[in-house]
Amino acid sequence: MLNRVVVTGLGALTPLGLNVQDFWENIINGKSGAANITHFNAEKFKTQFACELKDFKPEIFIEKKELRKLDLFSAYALIAVEQAIKDSNVNLEKVNLDNCGVIWGSGIGGLNTMVQEIGQFYTNGQIPRFSPFFIPKMISDIAAGLISIKYSFKGPNFATVSACASATHSIIDSFNYIALGHASLIVCGGSEASINEAGVGGFNALRALSTRNDNPEKASRPFDIDRDGFVLGEGAGALILEDYNHAKKRGAKIYCEITGIGVSADAYHLTAPHPEGLGAYKVMKKTIHQARKGYDEIDYINVHGTSTQLGDVTEIHAIKQLFGQSAYNVNISSTKSMTGHLLGAAGAIESIASILSIQHGCIPPTINLENLDPKLDPKINYTANKYQTRDVRNALCNTFGFGGHNASVLFSRLN
């Protein structure tokens, strides 16, 4: 028999707040995190805005000496995890650290470090003088290792890399290890710090980013007829998952239970979703089936909803095909309309939004939805522009990544 898995701690570092409370307050109030890029001079780029962290000073959280050894994506991870550990109120002196692990996701990893080191190489006349920290700062698994070292967690420890599904896959893998009895507590989530020349330039080359430079706050507009691509975001989200009995024994606060997980592949295209949404359909079906829930029991779906022409339509099509008439009774929203797309960290941040919808009985809105795409069913409740109150028993969170990687998690009120 599988162990029950619950969520006992949350941490968030986002364009809408540097902690969970501020993040939740801002997404409920429909605030956009988009603004002109400050990380570098973007005036020659097709896209000149993004969802950056606001008023963020990493030296407040991490000593400058240590910061020099870290790419930003790892710094973001360490800060969010510290919040989650504190929120969980776990006494690390009283738990078996051999049964505590870290599984962390990042779609790209240390892209800032790559840009800086290669830039310096060419600036210095191609003299091969690289920092000894270049490789350890850049590799995607290093955040998981750093978290493990900081807290002496000696259980499962690795990284998940599946583009925009990375953080959700970290949650799913953590669930499996705990459910199978291989760990009692795992830190999971994801971080991304790719708002730099390579990140913006690369996604511009793919024609994936919005170019609404005259009005950044209106640029991320999932399901709207005038959407023209996603808005790049950055940050981190952290969750503490525990075996239910372990959490109860130590008197932990429990946010919710994970009742279903699902993974699938489109097996179709490098960057485009399956035109009929088959991968999305299958991953949601697997998740809800594992949870033994009816489609009429799902109250909220935090959709992948990136504000791209193909992705938004295929995901809604998959929901309609799977849910049938129940699709008209569920709230759907894309919090990317406010946070932008955090790539490998998206699934963690959106999972936190889903969990808090259960806690507060409130659905975050899809902002900037002014003119619904006529390809989409107007009878679907997209939670347009303003939050809606609702008793949320079960919240489904979808994430899909380049390469056709699909991952879903169902969070449920603890019974």
Side-chain angles (χ1 to χ4, degrees), residues 330-404:
V330 62
N331 274 81
I332 291 168
S333 78
S334 171
T335 47
K336 288 185 181 72
S337 61
M338 296 170 281
T339 65
H341 192 354
L342 273 70
L343 306 179
I349 291 298
E350 290 154 18
S351 289
I352 291 170
S354 302
I355 291 164
L356 294 178
S357 75
I358 296 172
Q359 285 282 304
H360 297 286
C362 191
I363 310 292
T366 304
I367 68 168
N368 300 325
L369 182 45
E370 297 167 353
N371 298 294
L372 184 69
D373 187 333
K375 295 177 184 176
L376 297 172
D377 191 336
K379 293 185 291 183
I380 295 285
N381 186 351
Y382 300 96
T383 322
N385 300 312
K386 191 178 187 307
Y387 74 85
Q388 294 178 15
T389 57
R390 174 170 183 163
D391 181 31
V392 182
R393 303 159 297 170
N394 300 290
L396 182 69
C397 185
N398 288 341
T399 46
F400 313 136
F402 282 178

Side-chain angles (χ1 to χ4, degrees), residues 151-165:
Y151 296 103
S152 297
F153 289 167
K154 301 178 181 69
N157 181 247
F158 58 90
T160 52
V161 181
S162 50
C164 306

Side-chain angles (χ1 to χ4, degrees), residues 260-262 283-291 396 408-410:
I261 57 168
V283 77
M284 289 187 287
K285 184 176 182 179
K286 288 178 180 179
T287 304
I288 296 168
H289 177 75
Q290 185 191 29
L396 182 69
S408 293
V409 178
L410 186 65

